[in-house]
Amino acid sequence: MIHNDGFRALDRRECLRLLGEVPVGRVVYTRQALPAVLPVNFSLDSGGSVVLYTSAGSDLVRAVDGVVVAFEADDFHAGCRSGWSVVVTGRAAVVTDPAEHERLLRTGPRSWMPLRDGVFVRIESEMVTGRELTGVGVGP
């Protein structure tokens, strides 16, 4: 449904489909009691969970393991004034199961940085919301 403001709410299925089309998103978490945002490459896994691959000793892993975080990805076209934004909210956890880790080594995301001690972090898609900007009102 298109609202007068030019935005259209996206359902879960649309949101997950769109997330699968982009390689980079942002993890929103708390660092030293303040909001923090970190761009990361990612992939989607079964059930729509977001999976990251990062260094086991990273500040990100220490900050997000076992806590609720948000993950946002988007795609916009400035010339058309259109695009979309999707937010996944859920508990993040380091993947500790050896079989799951091995599976993700084959199917999960690859870090864009060289890692010696990589771990996978899964963000459960407990809440998925999205909006599409339809380009209504394009003009001067």
Side-chain angles (χ1 to χ4, degrees):
M1 175 159 114
I2 297 178
H3 301 286
N4 291 339
D5 62 4
F7 285 100
R8 180 176 71 90
L10 302 172
D11 65 25
R12 179 185 177 91
R13 188 170 142 202
E14 289 176 293
C15 288
L16 295 177
R17 179 185 62 77
L18 290 168
L19 283 179
E21 295 178 0
V22 295
V24 175
R26 294 155 212 79
V27 177
V28 182
Y29 62 102
T30 302
R31 182 177 57 211
Q32 298 176 352
L34 296 171
V37 179
L38 183 67
V40 294
N41 66 298
F42 72 100
S43 67
L44 286 181
D45 201 19
S46 59
S49 62
V50 172
V51 179
L52 320 172
Y53 188 61
T54 190
S55 173
S58 70
D59 291 340
L60 177 66
V61 168
R62 286 191 296 278
V64 305
D65 191 23
V67 301
V68 174
V69 301
F71 177 85
E72 188 272 344
D74 53 50
D75 188 26
F76 289 97
H77 307 280
C80 299
R81 296 184 186 174
S82 65
W84 57 267
S85 175
V86 170
V87 177
V88 172
T89 306
R91 186 164 305 277
V94 172
V95 173
T96 57
D97 178 80
E100 183 68 358
H101 183 85
E102 286 300 315
R103 182 185 72 81
L104 289 171
L105 283 174
R106 292 186 308 277
T107 64
R110 302 286 177 258
S111 176
W112 290 4
M113 303 291 294
L115 299 176
R116 287 193 308 249
D117 60 345
V119 295
F120 291 98
V121 175
R122 178 184 309 282
I123 302 170
E124 295 298 336
S125 59
E126 296 167 21
M127 185 168 59
V128 179
T129 59
R131 300 190 324 164
E132 177 184 36
L133 177 61
T134 61
V136 172
V138 173

